[in-house]
Amino acid sequence: MEFRELKVPGAWEITPKQFGDSRGVFLEAFKEGPFVESVGHALDLRQANSSVSAAGVVRGIHFADVPPSQAKYVMCPRGAVLDVVVDIRVGSPTFGQWDTVLLDDTDRRAIYISEGLGHAFCALEDDSTVVYLCSAPYAPGREHGIDPLDEAVGIAWPSEDRAGRPLELLLSDKDSAAPGLREAEEQGLLPRYDAVQEYIATLRR
């Protein structure tokens, strides 16, 4: 299992070793030792979610108040999604930057998105299934969103699906109505970089 930190600090791409034979494939989807070695603390699993999306569906950009926020270890056991992490931590050296990882049922990579970061993805195939291991339970009053099409963020969403056909982006009403990055900052919704770092430090003790 290989961990690679993305250009947004606090997010990692995880590539598992796959063992295949005539029966199929086996892999370790999560392993505590390599995770702790890379991230610096254990994953305190409090909730596991799953979503199934049609091609073109965009979910996000979602985030939660810090503390405790909601770190996510995300996998795609069926289909394919372009997964996106966005640095929304006010005061971060990489504030507003984003990076992507292709999650699919071929390479079977995962992405870990630590506390205080924004998360979104776009499904590249019908019935793409995403599984999230979360460090905190869903708390509606602490959950927020940023418009995934916000030009200030400038995510380069895919224009073609997994088969190379034109892709039409589909957003929920809630995500479409979410504020842009600057508006969310002005409203005081975004986490502060120093507060996020202080909270993550408590997880490493």
Side-chain angles (χ1 to χ4, degrees):
M1 182 173 286
E2 297 181 359
F3 279 70
R4 178 179 68 87
E5 190 164 20
L6 303 180
K7 69 179 183 182
V8 174
W12 283 263
E13 173 193 84
I14 303 101
T15 303
K17 291 183 179 179
Q18 301 189 58
F19 302 91
D21 57 26
S22 60
R23 300 169 299 166
V25 175
F26 173 84
L27 63 112
E28 296 172 336
F30 174 84
K31 195 169 185 179
E32 185 177 41
F35 180 89
V36 172
E37 182 178 346
S38 297
V39 175
H41 61 82
L43 175 62
D44 186 12
L45 178 60
R46 296 300 180 94
Q47 184 169 318
N49 302 329
S50 182
S51 66
V52 180
S53 302
V57 167
V58 174
R59 298 182 186 268
I61 304 166
H62 298 151
F63 64 99
D65 290 340
V66 180
S69 189
Q70 189 185 61
K72 299 173 182 177
Y73 190 99
V74 186
M75 301 165 283
C76 181
R78 177 182 179 183
V81 303
L82 183 69
D83 204 276
V84 183
V85 57
V86 183
D87 193 343
I88 58 169
R89 303 167 296 189
V90 177
S92 168
T94 54
F95 177 74
Q97 294 187 27
W98 53 273
D99 205 350
T100 65
V101 173
L102 176 64
L103 307 180
D104 61 23
D105 51 17
T106 301
D107 294 321
R108 297 183 172 88
R109 292 188 178 94
I111 184 172
Y112 176 68
I113 299 151
S114 65
E115 292 82 356
L117 296 174
H119 175 244
F121 69 79
C122 176
L124 303 177
E125 181 176 281
D126 285 340
D127 297 324
S128 290
T129 302
V130 172
V131 173
Y132 322 66
L133 306 181
C134 304
S135 67
Y138 175 68
R142 305 179 64 82
E143 303 286 333
H144 307 285
I146 294 169
D147 179 1
L149 305 183
D150 179 26
E151 293 182 358
V153 180
I155 296 171
W157 293 109
S159 59
E160 295 181 343
D161 69 7
R162 198 178 191 184
R165 296 169 297 209
L167 193 66
E168 179 182 355
L169 301 184
L170 304 171
L171 280 66
S172 69
D173 292 341
K174 182 178 180 181
D175 287 343
S176 295
L181 182 68
R182 299 302 178 187
E183 184 181 355
E185 181 180 6
E186 292 170 358
Q187 293 175 1
L189 299 176
L190 303 183
R192 296 201 58 82
Y193 180 72
D194 53 357
V196 173
Q197 296 304 102
E198 289 175 8
Y199 177 68
I200 291 178
T202 67
L203 304 177
R204 293 173 172 162
R205 293 172 185 167

